[in-house]
Amino acid sequence: MWPTTTALLVFLEIVSSTTAAWPSEQLVSKGGKAYSCKCYPGDACYPTSDEWRKLNATVGGNLQVALPPGAPCHNSLNGIPTFDAAKCADVMANFMGEQWTTDQPIANLWTYWTNDTCLPTTDPGTSCTRGFYGDWVILAQTKEHIKAGIDFAREHNLRLVIRNTGHDFMGRSTAFGALVVNTHSFKTVSFTKKYTGPGRYRGGAVTIGAGIQVRELYRLANQQSPPVVVVGGECPTVGLAGGYIQGGGHGPMASFYGMAADNALSFNIVTATGQFATANEAQNADLFWALKGGGPSTFGVVVSLTVKTFPEVPSASVILNINSTHTNDTELFFKGVAAVHNLANHFVDNGMFVYYELMPLRFHVQPIVGPNMTAAQITKVVQPMFDALNKAGVPYSTSTKAFNTFFDLYIDIFEDEAAGSDALIGGRIITHEDIDKNAAGIIDAYKATLNSGTFIIGHIVGPGFGAPVVDNAINPVWRNASSFSITTIPIAGNAPLSDKAQAQNIITNVVGKALREAAPHGGAYVNEGDLEEPNWQTEFWGSHYPRLLKLKEKWDPTGVFYARTTPGTEDWEVIDHGTRLCRKL
Ligand SMILES: Cc1cc2nc3c(=O)[nH]c(=O)nc-3n(C[C@H](O)[C@H](O)[C@H](O)COP(=O)(O)OP(=O)(O)OC[C@H]3O[C@@H](n4cnc5c(N)ncnc54)[C@H](O)[C@@H]3O)c2cc1C
Ligand SMILES: *[C@@H]1O[C@H](CO)[C@@H](O)[C@H](O)[C@H]1NC(C)=O
Ligand SMILES: *[C@@H]1O[C@H](CO)[C@@H](O)[C@H](O)[C@H]1NC(C)=O
Ligand SMILES: *[C@@H]1O[C@H](CO)[C@@H](O)[C@H](O)[C@H]1NC(C)=O
Ligand SMILES: *[C@@H]1O[C@H](CO)[C@@H](O)[C@H](O)[C@H]1NC(C)=O
Ligand SMILES: *[C@@H]1O[C@H](CO)[C@@H](O)[C@H](O)[C@H]1NC(C)=O
Ligand SMILES: *[C@@H]1O[C@H](CO)[C@@H](O)[C@H](O)[C@H]1NC(C)=O
């Protein structure tokens, strides 16, 4: 039957209002598929220089032309002269430096997803292009600057990237042709002994700006009287309020006090429509739920965050090394790995956390953390590990140390990480049940991982011990977790596309497959996972996904925010070899 005139008019109205939501869309047809794309330089819908000038005025002169960190070592980029000997020397000295990298406007810690087309060099004649770095960056100083960036990106239909520390292993704080909003300068911190906001919680809390990095927060927490602790990442320079907590956030205290997202009390954000909003138990409760683990750069831009603080506790650590100074026998080596990993449930059930690096003939376990333990207590809890090592005849080195506070342990025992690495990653959350039923199979999957040229950054962690179970968007599988492994394969950002495809295939179909099969009750972690994870919606969020999808449609219906493999992004595709973000029509 033909539609009635009224129905047709309603239909047309819907169509025109839909069109009105994208005043400046770029229609593209590729391989028989139709797309509505973001606007890029060269497109008719791209803003004029005058419009960029006006944006700069709105953000108080904090708009910059974005330049790759290596640009000062090259003569020019797209005809813009960039060479600066002093700045180049600075870049050369610091490119591997964690804090330096996070302090730059658009740099990424791991550079694979920047495409490595303008690396620091001693030869200024070599070419420098932007690769997958953005074109413009707002070094936001106020929430109004963030709002101006969001409004400008929405009105002009631009690819928008929120960049806090540049830690994203999965390249989601950088993008070709993007307007980048940098939240690194939001460094306010305010502690209270008694939270008085909505909800029943009346313990200690801290409100932090989006740019706060975890070690600086741990230090300030330690200076309180009495000292307190916050659940944050293991890595000193990761942000707390940005992608980290919005993806869930594990760390050295997570088995003891819960995931970072379990401890969030309130968020202040700027929404996709440019509104300032508070999200907590009383206001925008649905958004509050989603921000606690539902995905980075998905529901809004966090300006500030309030999280619980906890009493400091005396803590103890054990370090263990098994490497080629001890044995060159791979079978014996893996018996050593098994002696540790098979005890994952035992460790997390005691509130403990373990960080380790595993590569061929190098098993570096630094540290095993025992919160609220003395040296005698940790020695007792860890004894089954030594018994297993000794029984298997595995040689090793170890040391145990006790500290007055967790903070003292953190500063003494955790090692800094280097920036500038090039790698592609994947990962798997392993549960209690997986360890109970298939601990040996998991070790076999680790062997297969190492045999494929992939390394493991391992964590024995599970937010189960004593921590209250919070209703939030983190992958429900975390509640059963006792181990989480990042798989990482070294590959240059400027490697030939065929090499990149091969590395991706190993991560997804060799290593990823082995771990999925070995740990079938597990899942994956959106902050440290495989961009090609099959069934990523379910693997990253389990039964929460349908609700997250609805909330994405409610809070960001036009797709102002985009980070690959976050809720709602199945409607989008980055075409033209990673250079054009488009909605599928
Ligand atoms: C060396 C290293 C160590 C790590 N250690 C841990 C760890 O111990 N535990 C753990 O759970 N994870 C860890 N991670 C992973 C980390 O959680 C993610 O990379 C996380 O996304 C980083 O968030 P960020 O804001 O610091 O980084 P960015 O790279 O700046 O941002 C990451 C993502 O969050 C979005 N985002 C940034 N700021 C905001 C904001 N203000 N509002 C909304 N969205 C925003 C970005 O758009 C991007 O999608 C580590 C990563 C690295 C590289
Ligand atoms: C924005 O304005 C500031 C201050 O006037 C200026 O230094 C800066 O170069 C401008 N940015 C751009 C991209 O023109
Ligand atoms: C990114 O790098 C690949 C090679 O790995 C290259 O083919 C492609 O052109 C690069 N794209 C950009 C935008 O730099
Ligand atoms: C293992 O091999 C390396 C390199 O050949 C050698 O230096 C090392 O001493 C060997 N380790 C043992 C325990 O034999
Ligand atoms: C630490 O352990 C002691 C007992 O050894 C216990 O009384 C105390 O409650 C524990 N502290 C925390 C924060 O769990
Ligand atoms: C091997 O273990 C020893 C401790 O016995 C440590 O000093 C050394 O750094 C380790 N080597 C590697 C490559 O990790
Ligand atoms: C957690 O484990 C329990 C017990 O094995 C199981 O019933 C439950 O389904 C698991 N939860 C998830 C989200 O996997």
Side-chain angles (χ1 to χ4, degrees):
M1 211 172 78
W2 293 101
T4 63
T5 315
T6 328
L8 198 60
L9 281 176
V10 170
F11 175 71
L12 284 174
E13 239 170 68
I14 292 168
V15 169
S16 58
S17 73
T18 308
T19 311
W22 292 279
S24 39
E25 66 179 340
Q26 188 68 19
L27 293 173
V28 171
S29 158
K30 265 265 138 69
K33 292 190 215 158
Y35 299 95
S36 165
C37 303
K38 300 275 180 186
C39 300
Y40 289 89
D43 295 342
C45 54
Y46 198 69
T48 61
S49 351
D50 204 45
E51 286 167 322
W52 285 110
R53 254 194 303 278
K54 279 189 195 139
L55 174 64
N56 197 11
T58 313
V59 299
N62 286 295
L63 177 73
Q64 290 184 2
V65 170
L67 293 175
C73 300
H74 299 261
N75 289 331
S76 65
L77 177 147
N78 291 347
I80 311 170
T82 51
F83 186 76
D84 181 324
K87 277 193 192 157
C88 176
D90 186 43
V91 176
M92 297 286 272
N94 291 302
F95 198 66
M96 306 293 279
E98 228 185 300
Q99 187 62 46
W100 181 91
T101 303
T102 62
D103 291 343
Q104 303 307 302
I106 58 164
N108 270 226
L109 223 70
W110 283 32
T111 64
Y112 179 76
W113 287 107
T114 72
N115 227 25
D116 285 343
T117 54
C118 187
L119 290 171
T121 171
T122 49
D123 179 1
T126 54
S127 107
C128 163
T129 59
R130 280 208 172 82
F132 295 158
Y133 285 112
D135 284 7
W136 304 87
V137 55
I138 297 173
L139 298 175
Q141 309 298 315
T142 66
K143 63 181 194 216
E144 287 76 17
H145 295 168
I146 296 177
K147 172 183 162 52
I150 293 173
D151 288 344
F152 193 80
R154 188 186 59 251
E155 283 156 15
H156 296 278
N157 199 20
L158 301 179
R159 176 79 163 91
L160 174 67
V161 166
I162 314 304
R163 192 271 187 195
N164 187 27
T165 65
H167 259 262
D168 201 308
F169 280 120
M170 298 152 82
R172 296 183 295 204
S173 45
T174 190
F176 179 88
L179 166 62
V180 180
V181 174
N182 179 314
T183 59
H184 186 60
S185 334
F186 289 70
K187 293 282 191 185
T188 54
V189 178
S190 149
F191 287 90
T192 175
K193 287 189 166 52
K194 190 176 176 194
Y195 180 69
T196 53
R200 279 196 310 255
Y201 180 74
R202 289 293 169 258
V206 62
T207 300
I208 60 167
I212 283 290
Q213 295 168 271
V214 303
R215 186 167 49 195
E216 65 188 334
L217 182 61
Y218 294 166
R219 189 163 275 132
L220 293 168
N222 181 253
Q223 288 162 7
Q224 302 305 302
S225 169
V228 291
V229 290
V230 174
V231 175
E234 147 282 317
C235 173
T237 61
V238 71
L240 185 71
Y244 171 81
I245 201 164
Q246 291 169 60
H250 62 72
M253 286 307 244
S255 306
F256 199 68
Y257 285 136
M259 298 282 278
D262 293 340
N263 293 304
L265 294 165
S266 192
F267 292 83
N268 286 316
I269 72 161
V270 189
T271 67
T273 52
Q275 313 292 310
F276 299 117
T278 298
N280 56 34
E281 269 189 41
Q283 297 175 65
N284 300 310
D286 62 344
L287 188 57
F288 180 50
W289 181 85
L291 286 166
K292 293 182 294 183
S297 198
T298 301
F299 301 99
V301 178
V302 173
V303 178
S304 67
L305 162 73
T306 306
V307 291
K308 294 179 184 175
T309 60
F310 295 97
E312 253 294 7
V313 280
S315 298
S317 68
V318 172
I319 294 171
L320 176 81
N321 278 295
I322 305 172
N323 60 44
S324 58
T325 65
H326 306 98
T327 180
N328 285 320
D329 175 342
T330 297
E331 280 308 305
L332 192 60
F333 173 81
F334 272 103
K335 284 183 184 163
V337 177
V340 178
H341 198 266
N342 291 0
L343 286 170
N345 295 349
H346 170 71
F347 287 131
V348 299
D349 291 347
N350 281 282
M352 298 167 82
F353 170 86
V354 181
Y355 179 84
Y356 64 86
E357 292 162 6
L358 175 61
M359 47 188 78
L361 293 178
R362 181 173 183 267
F363 185 39
H364 178 56
V365 184
Q366 179 163 354
I368 300 173
V369 182
N372 204 22
M373 286 183 194
T374 60
Q377 284 168 322
I378 201 169
T379 301
K380 197 169 163 219
V381 179
V382 172
Q383 193 54 45
M385 177 185 89
F386 291 121
D387 292 346
L389 289 167
N390 296 337
K391 191 170 162 219
V394 180
Y396 56 86
S397 311
T398 186
S399 62
T400 301
K401 210 166 164 182
F403 300 86
N404 289 333
T405 62
F406 165 73
F407 177 75
D408 293 340
L409 181 156
Y410 181 78
I411 295 298
D412 193 272
I413 300 289
F414 278 85
E415 298 167 303
D416 275 17
E417 285 152 39
S421 323
D422 263 315
L424 184 65
I425 75 146
R428 185 86 189 152
I429 300 171
I430 297 165
T431 65
H432 276 73
E433 197 175 350
D434 292 321
I435 297 280
D436 280 340
K437 293 188 175 151
N438 194 30
I442 292 166
I443 297 301
D444 287 340
Y446 283 3
K447 283 182 199 163
T449 300
L450 268 49
N451 283 338
S452 76
T454 306
F455 308 138
I456 288 177
I457 302 173
H459 312 73
I460 288 177
V461 62
F465 171 87
V469 174
V470 173
D471 179 22
N472 60 19
I474 69 168
N475 192 339
V477 156
W478 273 119
R479 303 288 168 210
N480 287 347
S482 60
S483 173
F484 167 63
S485 289
I486 301 175
T487 55
T488 158
I489 187 162
I491 166 108
N494 53 11
L497 290 175
S498 55
D499 291 11
K500 288 183 174 178
Q502 196 187 347
Q504 182 66 65
N505 184 53
I506 290 172
I507 286 292
T508 309
N509 300 317
V510 179
V511 168
K513 180 167 180 280
L515 285 169
R516 279 190 295 275
E517 285 171 3
H521 304 94
Y525 176 35
V526 62
N527 278 347
E528 300 179 316
D530 177 3
L531 289 164
E532 301 289 344
E533 180 74 36
N535 308 314
W536 58 263
Q537 294 91 335
T538 309
E539 293 295 336
F540 289 146
W541 285 288
S543 56
H544 288 335
Y545 192 75
R547 184 171 170 194
L548 286 168
L549 190 56
K550 282 208 186 82
L551 288 170
K552 173 70 176 180
E553 281 158 8
K554 174 178 172 188
W555 287 95
D556 183 17
T558 64
V560 173
F561 305 121
Y562 175 85
R564 240 176 108 183
T565 66
T566 58
T569 53
E570 53 277 271
D571 293 345
W572 296 78
E573 192 177 331
V574 184
I575 63 168
D576 292 352
H577 302 291
T579 60
R580 201 174 268 277
L581 173 64
C582 306
R583 187 194 282 271
K584 298 180 208 166
L585 293 177

